[in-house]
Amino acid sequence: MKTISVAILLLALSCSVHAGHKANAWRNKVIYQVLVDRFAGYNSDSWNPCWDLKAYCGGSFKGLQQKLGYIKNMGFDAIWISPVVENTDKGYHGYWAKDIYKINSHYGTSQELKNLVSEAHRQGIWIMLDVVANHMGYGDISTFYPFDRDEHYHPSCEINNWGNQWEVENCRLAGLPDLKQENNFVKDELKYWVNWIVKEYNFDGIRIDTIPEIPVWFWSEFHTSANVFTIGEAFNGYVDYLKKYVPPLDAVLNYPLYYAFKDVYMYKQSMTRIRDVLNEE
């Protein structure tokens, strides 16, 4: 759920081939990140200011589509969009799923999402979808779909020690119901869903949220099911920790280099800090 404040940096891309694009083809892309709800309203030319930043602000697929030329003219040829599924209350950001097979109506319709992707492709822009396989949103799980039973989730406990990998994989992030990938129904449904949503909307790649919170074995199967370029988010600055995720995924966000940049440009450490990270990678 955390994102880098600078350009997306890819770590250790493989050369595997997918039904969509090669991983190496994504290496050359200049990617623009969009939080759908906060980018452009249904009519992007007459969007009112939003004063409640904890609620929906009116961003939409159609508004984003109207701004594709603006994004392309800045030099970007790919867009990473926030999760698009139906969310629980105030899930404007998309990371609190309620029904993974429904499109969030605050952003628009299923057809409008298809129109966005189609028009982006017409303009030579690839679309990367942000997906979540770790958790669902806040609320009564009996109202969720398809994970509506207690057996679909790990027992309730909070992640307090990020150095304890068992706790990271089995407990809750900020109280969010933690999906139990060891459950065959959960595992198979997530794999089916990611394959379906990529094909249904013709996405070119996926960015995967919170990958350390799920065992590595799951990502191999999820990656195969997605059948497109996969890049994961692991909010960790240690290269050795991140290497275990590449493969099975094509890449991870390069947080080690992000932290090195911060150390050098914010905290006045030596430029050798950046060199050392690059050598380690």
Side-chain angles (χ1 to χ4, degrees):
M1 294 167 70
K2 306 176 183 72
T3 53
I4 308 180
S5 58
V6 296
I8 298 175
L9 303 163
L10 310 187
L11 174 61
L13 284 172
S14 72
C15 297
S16 55
V17 180
H18 303 293
H21 304 284
K22 293 182 180 180
N24 274 346
W26 270 99
R27 182 191 289 274
N28 298 319
K29 288 295 178 180
V30 184
I31 306 169
Y32 189 82
Q33 183 185 1
V34 168
L35 187 65
V36 175
D37 179 66
R38 301 299 164 91
F39 186 71
Y42 197 79
N43 183 342
S44 61
D45 294 325
S46 59
W47 196 21
N48 295 322
C50 179
W51 303 112
D52 183 2
L53 297 183
K54 294 182 179 180
Y56 285 93
C57 288
S60 69
F61 301 133
K62 185 174 181 181
L64 175 55
Q65 181 177 334
Q66 293 170 351
K67 291 292 188 180
L68 289 174
Y70 163 77
I71 294 172
K72 186 174 182 179
N73 288 338
M74 288 193 292
F76 297 94
D77 55 6
I79 302 173
W80 156 18
I81 63 172
S82 51
V84 298
V85 302
E86 182 183 57
N87 267 226
T88 56
D89 188 42
K90 295 190 175 181
Y92 65 87
H93 40 66
Y95 296 96
W96 298 345
K98 181 177 182 180
D99 186 330
I100 63 176
Y101 287 100
K102 287 184 179 179
I103 296 301
N104 194 326
S105 61
H106 289 276
Y107 308 150
T109 66
S110 174
Q111 187 58 52
E112 286 169 342
L113 177 55
K114 292 178 180 179
N115 294 345
L116 164 63
V117 176
S118 177
E119 179 59 22
H121 288 165
R122 191 188 71 80
Q123 296 191 32
I125 299 172
W126 293 0
I127 301 293
M128 174 187 291
L129 176 68
D130 204 325
V131 300
V132 183
N134 176 63
H135 57 263
M136 297 291 279
Y138 296 110
D140 180 358
I141 63 171
S142 69
T143 66
F144 297 169
Y145 187 82
F147 309 119
D148 57 357
R149 299 182 181 180
D150 288 340
E151 66 197 57
H152 298 154
Y153 299 88
H154 289 125
S156 181
C157 58
E158 290 296 317
I159 302 174
N160 295 309
N161 179 6
W162 288 91
N164 183 328
Q165 191 61 30
W166 184 92
E167 188 172 309
V168 170
E169 293 177 1
N170 290 277
C171 294
R172 295 186 174 196
L173 172 68
L176 293 162
D178 195 70
L179 287 167
K180 188 176 183 179
Q181 289 76 21
E182 312 93 280
N183 178 287
N184 285 332
F185 173 79
V186 174
K187 178 188 68 174
D188 293 342
E189 195 68 37
L190 287 170
K191 289 161 54 181
Y192 176 85
W193 168 77
V194 75
N195 180 272
W196 168 80
I197 200 166
V198 166
K199 288 181 178 178
E200 181 72 12
Y201 296 97
N202 201 20
F203 291 116
D204 302 283
I206 59 171
R207 178 268 191 188
I208 308 171
D209 189 58
T210 54
I211 61 170
E213 280 92 312
I214 297 176
V216 174
W217 63 260
F218 173 79
W219 295 125
S220 179
E221 298 183 28
F222 194 78
H223 168 82
T224 300
S225 296
N227 202 31
V228 289
F229 173 72
T230 55
I231 178 169
E233 177 235 19
F235 198 64
N236 189 293
Y238 295 97
V239 173
D240 284 343
Y241 181 85
L242 299 180
K243 283 180 179 178
K244 63 186 176 184
Y245 298 106
V246 186
L249 303 181
D250 288 316
V252 296
L253 294 175
N254 199 334
Y255 278 103
L257 195 55
Y258 162 73
Y259 283 118
F261 284 160
K262 286 186 67 176
D263 289 343
V264 170
Y265 294 110
M266 292 180 64
Y267 304 116
K268 309 302 181 184
Q269 292 188 16
S270 169
M271 289 289 288
T272 60
R273 172 84 169 85
I274 296 174
R275 179 203 63 191
D276 292 344
V277 170
L278 290 173
N279 287 339
E280 188 177 3
E281 292 178 353

